[in-house]
Amino acid sequence: MGTTLFTDGWSLQRLPGAAVVPVRLPHDAMLAEPRGARGGTGTHGGYFPGGRYRYAKRWTAPDDAARRRLSLVFEGVHGRTVVQVDGVPIGRCASGYREFTVPLHDVITPGGEHLIEVDADNREVPNSRWYTGAGIYRPVWLENLPEVHLPRDGVRVHTHATGEPTLVEVGVDVAGPAPDSLTVEVRLGDAVRATAPVTGGTAELRLAVPEARLWSHDHPHLYNTTVSLLDGDVVLHRRTLRAGLRTLHVDAERGLLVNGEHILLRGACVHHDSGVLGAATFRASEFRRARILKANGYNAIRSAHNPISRDLLDACDEIGLYVMDELTDTWYQSKTAHDAAPDFAATWRDDARAMIGKDHAHPSVIMYSIGNEITETATAQGARTARELHDFITRLDPHRPTTVAINLLLNIMATRGKSPYRLEEEPAEQPKPSRITSTAANVLTNRLGAVMRLISQLPVADRVSRDAFAAVDIAGYNYAFSRYLGDRRRHPGRVILGTESMPGDLPRIWPLVERVPGVLGDFMWTGWDYLGEAGIGTWAYGDQPGGLHKPYPALIAGPGAIDITGLPGAPALLARAVWGELTAPAIAVRPLDRSGQRTLRTAWRASDAVPSWAWRGCEGRTAEIEVYSADDEVELLLNGRSLGRRRPRRFLARFRTPYQPGELVAVGYRDGHESGRSRLTSAGPARLRLVAESEALTADGQDLAFVHIQLADEDGTVEMLAADTVTITVAGPGHLTAFGSAAPQTEETFTGDTHTTYRGRALAVIRADDQPGTITITATSRRHGTATAELQTRTP
């Protein structure tokens, strides 16, 4: 039978006493909870409450269960978890991001019906600094294996040397009582085959691959690989995977080498939530995110601040993105009132073991982070802990380097006895701050980036980080690029990586990445926007409250170069210009409905501009236009009239003009010659439109279609200020699973069928059922008419 999805036929009850409702996994139980100013997660989790949830499923064991090894594999459950069969606890997990396996074979009866229950207790909140979701948010699998078998993560692939041929080492673990007669066969692609005996539960194989096609971000070639466990000619068990061949080397002089080629990491920090889907992890959503990030110039992902999902790993393998997989956001010291710090000593080894087992065979994974902004690293005990984690991980995987992401300002604060994290409960009510307090907070919020840069240059910054950095292979700097040159002189053997940075700092960071030996690249906070940390990167206008965290109904963090619906904004355009990824100047415009209003900025977002010239009703208002370009000069034309030429400063040229509808054109010049041009236009009369990213789905109960709801003219130009309320209905073999927008503040839910557009847009996510056929989506608005779209679902 092998490994099969175990996601259908579940029910959910919110304890105590709520109604029992059917659900299909993966599922985020928190997303449907009512938000409010008293929501227990506070700004951290977007004002959602905590809760305790019980998932239940009746299941009939196979008749041959006595001769098989049956188990359930949970890729992720958020909340303190207890798994029961027929009321008897058989497994527990306290780590919300750890994959764990629960054996079934000792507690079931062959052919018998059993009740499986999963209790996820997420009542104690906030337990994280971002939106976590709750419940069984990642897939569950049923493993039905022979007594002697290949375990789930028992294959390790390491490319020993490239050349002709390329030499590959494959380690294979065998579980169960293995007789001496067993062998393992590995087939790589159609032509390469090797066998080896099983000794001590392991087989070690060497393959010589002629004319190998190597894996990299530019050429993500994967080999279909089959691993078979044999007793003579009899196949006892078989697993398949997609293997990539690549070498990896890091040192302080040559930096990062993949297949001998020097690589600079153009990185995106990415949280685990999926926007309007909440924390629920779907393969289609993870692949979509990887595709959009790659299309916007990124070549790397930092999984912040927890182990990455299997589906996103597969996507990075296939699409070509390097991965820094991160273990945790906390060690022994808490950052929120109910986080995982008290469990760290008891859980970190199992967490690390699960992360590395998952990552072993993935070529996209190039390093491990042992922690993020861990202030204990400023102490001798913290440095010892860093060394302990590094040594443990390196024993499990000696072929990938480790890093730790340190915020030097926070480390300095910690050595002075000042906690940089608020551990008290959020207040029940959030009073509006006084003008004086508000102004001070806004000034500090806007200048936090500069403050962190300045303080990180102090001599004490080296003292509070050097021992922890010495314990790992790569020193991870959060918001401290100003130290790169000096620290390379002070520590000539140090390898440096920008593990977290403000998107607006990239023009100053990237020249250092390019010219300072041993600096591997940069990861901006963030590539993709996320739920929680409400308003940290959201600008406020007029009388709206500013500051670092915004009051309810703030929901979205706001620093993402790409918003939660997958739409890139000005930070993405800046990054592409810096990286040389633009073929023409890119235009963005500050929101014209906010023109002339008091603006309260935040350091985590350099610009609120969006790529649109469709601002009906704003005629005559001053338009602030940003043109992102690596050209020598940029000219801007409005309806054929030149607004002048500008030399971009740090890849940005600014223009101001009274807004008038029509066509806005940016022309780039290099060496006096035109190098490219781009255009934005205003919109004609807007009507409701549905634009599906794909027209076909797999009828497997898991595939998703992403449908853009737009208030746009007949050419598809979205009118930015044409807000409307839209209701979605779905007919056929599919259903609406999420519906929402990128509005930074909203009291609407993502789980209903009605939502208000934001900047003329919303996003509906349709989940396929199990039957092939035609799905018809109908959207009805109050003022912009009705629109329909059809999707086809096909048999897997």
Side-chain angles (χ1 to χ4, degrees):
M1 183 177 177
T3 303
T4 56
L5 273 174
F6 202 68
T7 53
D8 300 342
W10 291 85
S11 65
L12 171 70
Q13 182 183 32
R14 192 189 199 279
L15 300 176
V20 177
V21 295
V23 295
R24 193 171 203 169
L25 307 179
H27 175 260
D28 179 1
M30 181 179 279
L31 195 65
E33 295 281 18
R35 298 171 61 233
R38 297 174 182 267
T41 61
T43 59
H44 299 296
Y47 300 98
F48 283 90
R52 181 184 171 199
Y53 310 94
R54 179 165 294 159
Y55 294 82
K57 174 184 172 74
R58 291 201 173 273
W59 168 72
T60 300
D63 292 334
D64 64 349
R67 302 189 303 274
R68 309 285 290 180
R69 310 296 288 182
L70 278 81
S71 58
L72 292 179
V73 180
F74 294 87
E75 289 193 20
V77 185
H78 200 86
R80 294 187 176 272
T81 304
V82 179
V83 182
Q84 299 183 112
V85 173
D86 299 330
V88 178
I90 62 168
R92 298 176 184 270
C93 185
S95 298
Y97 299 100
R98 185 206 306 160
E99 183 173 296
F100 64 99
T101 299
V102 179
L104 295 174
H105 43 269
D106 291 334
V107 296
I108 59 174
T109 302
E113 183 180 84
H114 299 277
L115 176 63
I116 297 174
E117 294 174 299
V118 180
D119 193 322
D121 189 346
N122 195 49
R123 288 175 294 181
E124 292 188 334
V125 291
N127 52 40
S128 182
R129 296 189 298 129
W130 54 86
Y131 177 85
T132 61
I136 310 177
Y137 70 97
R138 285 181 178 171
V140 181
W141 301 85
L142 174 66
E143 288 209 316
N144 184 341
L145 306 174
E147 188 174 14
V148 182
H149 59 272
L150 304 169
R152 181 174 174 85
D153 294 319
V155 179
R156 300 170 299 281
V157 179
H158 171 60
T159 306
H160 182 67
T162 59
E164 190 51 46
T166 291
L167 303 179
V168 180
E169 299 173 348
V170 180
V172 180
D173 294 334
V174 177
D180 295 338
S181 58
L182 294 189
T183 59
V184 167
E185 177 189 78
V186 174
R187 291 182 179 269
L188 190 72
D190 297 327
V192 181
R193 172 180 174 272
T195 61
V198 176
T199 304
T202 302
E204 301 291 341
L205 301 94
R206 287 181 174 266
L207 290 79
V209 184
E211 300 179 349
R213 297 178 62 185
L214 302 180
W215 186 97
S216 69
H217 74 284
D218 282 332
H219 304 285
H221 180 75
L222 297 171
Y223 285 87
N224 292 322
T225 304
T226 302
V227 181
S228 302
L229 179 61
L230 305 173
D231 189 354
D233 295 330
V234 177
V235 178
L236 301 181
H237 189 213
R238 177 172 286 156
R239 288 194 183 269
T240 61
L241 65 146
R242 304 259 284 160
L245 309 184
R246 59 111 181 94
T247 59
L248 182 68
H249 179 79
V250 172
D251 68 40
E253 295 305 319
R254 292 175 293 174
L256 171 64
L257 303 179
V258 177
N259 303 324
E261 178 185 355
H262 183 225
I263 301 295
L264 299 179
L265 297 176
R266 306 190 300 269
C269 294
V270 175
H271 265 315
H272 79 287
D273 77 75
S274 299
V276 298
L277 289 162
T281 302
F282 290 88
R283 188 172 181 84
S285 178
E286 298 290 59
F287 270 75
R288 174 181 184 259
R289 173 158 36 187
R291 285 193 298 269
I292 292 173
L293 286 167
K294 186 74 177 282
N296 279 277
Y298 297 94
N299 69 3
I301 285 176
R302 176 191 179 200
S303 181
H305 304 290
N306 43 259
I308 197 170
S309 74
R310 284 185 183 264
D311 288 327
L312 189 49
L313 272 183
D314 286 345
C316 292
D317 284 350
E318 294 195 20
I319 292 165
L321 290 167
Y322 301 111
V323 173
M324 176 205 302
D325 209 356
E326 191 155 71
L327 182 65
T328 183
D329 189 50
T330 57
W331 287 359
Y332 296 103
Q333 295 179 3
S334 289
K335 297 180 179 180
T336 59
H338 304 287
D339 64 22
D343 298 322
F344 178 73
T347 62
W348 74 259
R349 290 172 182 80
D350 287 338
D351 292 344
R353 196 177 287 112
M355 178 181 74
I356 293 164
K358 167 181 59 69
D359 293 353
H360 255 310
H362 288 278
S364 57
V365 180
I366 60 169
M367 70 179 75
Y368 301 113
S369 169
I370 63 174
N372 171 67
E373 294 187 343
I374 308 294
T375 56
E376 300 101 287
T377 54
T379 68
Q381 180 185 7
R384 288 193 297 271
T385 301
R387 172 63 65 184
E388 186 178 11
L389 267 73
H390 164 83
D391 290 347
F392 183 84
I393 288 173
T394 302
R395 284 194 298 272
L396 294 176
D397 186 351
H399 305 301
R400 292 179 173 96
T402 61
T403 185
V404 61
I406 292 180
N407 185 314
L408 299 173
L409 169 61
L410 301 187
N411 273 28
I412 292 170
M413 291 176 64
T415 61
R416 282 154 173 73
K418 297 181 180 180
S419 171
Y421 303 103
R422 290 178 55 193
L423 299 183
E424 69 271 18
E425 299 292 341
E426 291 288 334
E429 299 290 345
Q430 296 179 326
K432 186 175 181 179
S434 70
R435 184 74 175 204
I436 295 175
T437 303
S438 175
T439 300
N442 293 329
V443 170
L444 178 61
T445 298
N446 188 37
R447 295 180 178 175
L448 267 176
V451 169
M452 285 192 285
R453 284 197 305 274
L454 290 172
I455 292 180
S456 70
Q457 295 180 59
L458 298 175
V460 66
D462 184 51
R463 295 197 297 273
V464 300
S465 60
R466 62 191 178 197
D467 292 341
F469 280 156
V472 294
D473 300 306
I474 298 168
Y477 287 62
N478 283 13
Y479 310 105
F481 67 89
S482 55
R483 290 198 67 89
Y484 291 177
L485 278 169
D487 279 1
R488 283 288 291 134
R489 289 194 295 268
R490 280 182 285 272
H491 307 282
R494 180 177 291 180
V495 180
I496 292 173
L497 176 63
T499 38
E500 202 165 302
S501 68
M502 307 287 187
D505 285 337
L506 192 61
R508 285 180 285 187
I509 294 171
W510 202 248
L512 297 173
V513 172
E514 291 183 312
R515 79 170 188 265
V516 178
V519 177
L520 308 186
D522 178 77
F523 286 83
M524 71 171 60
W525 191 267
T526 58
W528 196 280
D529 216 342
Y530 58 100
L531 308 180
E533 281 196 308
I536 189 174
T538 302
W539 290 16
Y541 309 94
D543 292 332
Q544 293 177 348
L548 192 59
H549 295 295
K550 309 300 190 295
Y552 178 81
L555 171 61
I556 294 168
I562 299 165
D563 74 20
I564 65 165
T565 70
L567 190 70
L573 302 180
L574 174 62
R576 292 179 64 192
V578 171
W579 294 329
E581 295 285 315
L582 287 178
T583 58
I587 312 170
V589 181
R590 293 201 58 220
L592 272 157
D593 58 328
R594 301 299 187 179
S595 178
Q597 294 186 13
R598 174 173 175 257
T599 301
L600 308 177
R601 292 171 168 80
T602 167
W604 273 268
R605 189 165 197 89
S607 172
D608 61 349
V610 292
S612 176
W613 192 241
W615 302 90
R616 188 181 303 277
C618 293
E619 289 78 3
R621 292 192 180 188
T622 299
E624 299 180 44
I625 304 164
E626 300 174 353
V627 181
Y628 296 93
S629 176
D631 293 308
D632 300 331
E633 284 188 310
V634 170
E635 184 178 19
L636 192 66
L637 299 96
L638 176 56
N639 296 328
R641 176 177 62 88
S642 177
L643 301 180
R645 287 194 184 192
R646 302 278 192 277
R647 186 179 297 275
R649 183 175 181 269
R650 291 177 178 162
F651 302 92
L652 171 60
R654 300 181 187 273
F655 298 82
R656 294 167 63 93
T657 189
Y659 176 72
Q660 59 178 261
E663 181 182 64
L664 194 64
V665 176
V667 183
Y669 296 92
R670 296 189 184 187
D671 299 324
H673 302 286
E674 181 177 330
S675 58
R677 62 174 57 203
S678 61
R679 62 193 289 269
L680 296 175
T681 64
S682 55
R687 287 194 57 81
L688 185 64
R689 299 174 76 245
L690 299 183
V691 180
E693 293 184 3
S694 58
E695 297 180 353
L697 294 89
T698 302
D700 60 359
Q702 295 291 317
D703 203 7
L704 303 177
F706 295 84
V707 182
H708 295 270
I709 287 80
Q710 300 177 345
L711 304 179
D713 65 13
E714 60 184 8
D715 296 322
T717 301
V718 174
E719 178 55 63
M720 298 297 285
L721 301 182
D724 205 345
T725 301
V726 180
T727 298
I728 300 288
T729 59
V730 178
H735 61 277
L736 180 68
T737 197
F739 183 29
S741 75
Q745 300 184 36
T746 181
E747 294 190 86
E748 297 178 312
T749 177
F750 293 152
T751 60
D753 61 2
T754 299
H755 208 88
T756 303
T757 60
Y758 175 70
R759 299 297 188 206
R761 304 174 189 267
L763 180 70
V765 184
I766 310 301
R767 186 173 184 176
D769 292 338
D770 297 299
Q771 303 81 33
T774 301
I775 300 173
T776 302
I777 306 158
T778 303
T780 304
S781 68
R782 292 179 180 175
R783 295 184 302 276
H784 293 84
T786 299
T788 62
E790 289 188 348
L791 306 170
Q792 301 299 317
T793 61
R794 300 169 181 169
T795 302

